[in-house]
Amino acid sequence: MPPAIPRGLQPGDQIDYVELTTDTVISATTKGSANTVITGNARSYDGATRVLIEFWTPFAYNPNPQHIIATLWEDSTDLGRIGQVGASIGACLHGMRFLTPAAGVHTYTIKSWVTGSTGTIYAATASENLPAWYRITKA
Amino acid sequence: MSLHPVPSGLRPGDQIDFVEVTSNAATSSSVDIVSGNAISYDGATRIKIEYYTAGLDNGGSNIGAEVHLYEGATDLGIMGHAYASASQIVPASTGHRFLTPSAGVHTYKLKLVRTVTAGTVTFYGGAGGTGVVVPGYLRITKA
């Protein structure tokens, strides 16, 4: 059974955290086939706890004039775009979403796709980047 | 010894350090953006270090502007990056790092680095007010 959200959490208390320390090449060109970037841990929610889900990378970039898009998934459901970097621009990306998960076990995943060509979510410490991360806290 | 030990009993989100950037940092090579205060850590407190700037300007075609996070003299890595095929200001750039500092006194610093030998890159910060950029910042909170 996945860990349940403890009672008595205060806003800002951490519920889940996963780091990414390797680059992820994004080649998928449709949201339905998006590449997985970070998969969170399964957590058991009570249906009443409002949470903040965040994703951050130091650098998201598609070298060709195409966009790179990060999406937030709850289990097998695409909850939508949580961040996007436009054509020919590379930038750090910080996405946030407040929601109250339905009662039960849920796993959140960050995926990414490009509007064309190939992009990268950078996180490789070997190339001097700080790790990318996904985090859930009580809102 | 630092005059700023991390208090016991901190809650996640409680502030440990905060320094504003009230003028632009610009460079054609590298320059310090801001230094935090020396803080004494206990070796067990996980913290979040973050920065904010209203804009990070890459200064020209195919130039990168990197924000590096330093712990003392050690470069911990690239905390933020702006790059474009043309001169471009990446708006509202933020960087975040979670870590547990070793026991002792540490000072964190941001440094701006240009990636190629052309152009001038800029980390924006100002005093705020009508038509003026709001301050950037370096902030440390309990994670």
Side-chain angles (χ1 to χ4, degrees):
Chain A
M1 185 68 177
I5 305 302
R7 293 185 180 188
L9 282 183
Q10 297 294 313
D13 283 352
Q14 183 171 292
I15 295 169
D16 195 20
Y17 178 81
V18 178
E19 270 189 2
L20 176 70
T21 57
T22 57
D23 297 340
T24 303
V25 174
I26 309 301
S27 57
T29 55
T30 65
K31 57 186 177 184
S33 64
N35 300 106
T36 297
V37 178
I38 295 179
T39 300
N41 296 295
R43 292 285 186 263
S44 180
Y45 294 88
D46 60 8
T49 300
R50 187 164 178 260
V51 302
L52 168 62
I53 305 173
E54 297 176 88
F55 167 67
W56 179 82
T57 173
F59 196 50
Y61 181 50
N62 188 332
N64 296 293
Q66 301 287 347
H67 295 232
I68 185 166
I69 298 156
T71 55
L72 172 65
W73 290 66
E74 181 185 68
D75 306 316
S76 60
T77 301
D78 182 356
L79 297 183
R81 301 183 184 191
I82 197 170
Q84 181 165 343
V85 176
S88 301
I89 298 171
C92 51
L93 189 159
H94 186 202
M96 294 169 275
R97 176 75 167 109
F98 290 89
L99 53 80
T100 303
V105 176
H106 298 292
T107 301
Y108 292 91
T109 305
I110 302 297
K111 298 186 179 184
S112 181
W113 60 286
V114 291
T115 54
S117 188
T118 299
T120 303
I121 300 289
Y122 287 88
T125 50
S127 57
E128 297 188 338
N129 288 294
L130 291 175
W133 52 265
Y134 131 104
R135 188 177 193 231
I136 301 179
T137 51
K138 179 172 166 61
Chain B
M1 181 56 73
S2 167
L3 298 177
H4 303 284
V6 176
S8 59
L10 283 182
R11 297 279 313 152
D14 283 353
Q15 183 169 293
I16 296 169
D17 195 19
F18 179 79
V19 180
E20 285 189 338
V21 181
T22 55
S23 60
N24 293 343
T27 183
S28 55
S29 60
S30 69
V31 67
D32 289 351
I33 299 168
V34 64
S35 286
N37 295 294
I39 305 288
S40 179
Y41 295 90
D42 60 9
T45 300
R46 185 166 175 260
I47 63 171
K48 178 182 182 183
I49 305 170
E50 61 184 317
Y51 83 78
Y52 162 82
T53 174
L56 187 58
D57 188 346
N58 78 321
S61 165
N62 298 317
I63 298 171
E66 295 177 346
V67 178
H68 288 241
L69 174 64
Y70 277 73
E71 183 185 68
T74 302
D75 185 354
L76 298 183
I78 300 167
M79 199 177 193
H81 194 166
Y83 180 88
S85 56
S87 181
Q88 190 84 40
I89 298 173
V90 170
S93 173
T94 64
H96 312 262
R97 176 67 167 130
F98 294 88
L99 53 79
T100 303
S102 61
V105 175
H106 299 292
T107 302
Y108 293 93
K109 177 179 78 174
L110 300 177
K111 179 176 277 192
L112 180 63
V113 177
R114 188 188 63 176
T115 60
V116 298
T117 55
T120 298
V121 298
T122 304
F123 181 107
Y124 285 96
T130 303
V132 180
V133 173
V134 298
Y137 64 74
L138 170 67
R139 186 174 191 238
I140 301 176
T141 53
K142 179 174 167 60

